[in-house]
């Protein structure tokens, strides 16, 4: 259920032409219509003023419903198992990117590996100058592919 609605600045002119009493009745009628969907009983003058506002409210409600339906379809697509056949199922970025797991089933995957890895980390994490230079060259080549990068 929607908890708001839109009134437009151009509708202010309508309210400006009404007396305070009539404007109060009109705004109450608008709130009643939005909450119940029923057109309120109004004087002939106020009803003539209410009809274009009601039509505007109905158009906005229809637009909102279309957005809701589109979002529902998109959520179903995202969570539909049929649409995720080509995904790896991995979440996040692996900690050790030097030796990434190619998802071989022969290894011993364990949900607690990361805890043990952090306790018994014995590899050498030093980075050589040639590694840094090679990384810079890869980034430069990548950025150069977008044009306008000459540094």
């Amino acid at each position: 259920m929607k908890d708001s609605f839109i009134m437009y600045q151009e509708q202010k002119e309508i309210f400006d032409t009404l007396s305070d009493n009539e404007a109060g009745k009109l705004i109450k009628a608008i709130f009643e219509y939005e909450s119940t969907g029923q057109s309120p009983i109004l004087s002939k003058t106020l009803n003539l003023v209410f009809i274009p506002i009601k039509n505007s409210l109905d158009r906005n409600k229809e637009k909102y419903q279309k957005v809701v339906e589109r979002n529902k379809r998109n959520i179903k697509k995202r969570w539909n198992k049929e649409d995720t056949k080509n995904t790896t199922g991995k979440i996040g970025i692996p900690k050790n990117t030097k030796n990434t797991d190619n998802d071989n089933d022969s290894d011993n995957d364990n949900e607690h590996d990361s805890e043990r890895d952090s306790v018994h980390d014995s590899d050498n994490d030093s980075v050589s100058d040639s590694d840094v230079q090679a990384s810079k060259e890869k980034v430069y080549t990548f950025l150069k592919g977008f044009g306008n990068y000459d540094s």
Side-chain angles (χ1 to χ4, degrees):
M1 181 179 158
K2 205 168 100 166
D3 61 353
S4 62
F5 61 91
I6 299 172
M7 293 287 297
Y8 295 97
Q9 189 67 33
E10 65 190 31
Q11 294 167 336
K12 181 181 181 301
E13 291 178 59
I14 295 170
F15 285 90
D16 287 344
T17 61
L18 300 172
S19 69
D20 289 348
N21 186 29
E22 289 172 322
K25 286 180 181 179
L26 180 59
I27 196 69
K28 284 184 176 185
I30 291 168
F31 275 98
E32 181 181 331
Y33 178 72
E34 272 298 307
S35 64
T36 66
Q38 301 294 319
S39 293
I41 299 171
L42 296 168
S43 69
K44 191 171 189 171
T45 304
L46 284 181
N47 196 44
L48 286 172
V49 171
F50 176 73
I51 290 171
I53 294 173
K54 174 185 171 288
N55 291 338
S56 174
L57 294 170
D58 290 343
R59 276 191 304 275
N60 290 335
K61 201 177 289 188
E62 190 175 311
K63 285 181 192 177
Y64 177 76
Q65 285 303 331
K66 286 180 182 178
V67 169
V68 168
E69 292 303 315
R70 184 192 69 215
N71 289 345
K72 282 181 183 179
R73 285 191 309 273
N74 289 340
I75 288 169
K76 284 180 183 178
K77 284 180 191 176
R78 179 177 291 158
W79 295 106
N80 186 354
K81 297 293 182 191
E82 297 297 319
D83 291 342
T84 58
K85 286 181 181 175
N86 295 326
T87 60
T88 63
K90 299 271 184 182
I91 298 174
I93 299 172
K95 277 186 167 185
N96 183 356
T97 57
K98 288 183 183 177
N99 302 311
T100 58
D101 184 4
N102 292 329
D103 204 21
N104 295 331
D105 288 335
S106 63
D107 62 357
N108 294 324
D109 285 340
N110 188 334
E111 62 185 13
H112 301 292
D113 280 349
S114 62
E115 292 173 18
R116 280 185 275 176
D117 287 348
S118 64
V119 173
H120 302 292
D121 190 7
S122 61
D123 67 340
N124 186 357
D125 288 335
S126 64
V127 178
S128 69
D129 289 338
S130 61
D131 289 339
V132 171
Q133 185 61 34
S135 293
K136 283 182 181 179
E137 288 173 10
K138 286 180 184 177
V139 169
Y140 173 73
T141 304
F142 175 75
L143 292 174
K144 193 174 177 183
F146 289 103
N148 303 344
Y149 185 80
D150 294 327
S151 290

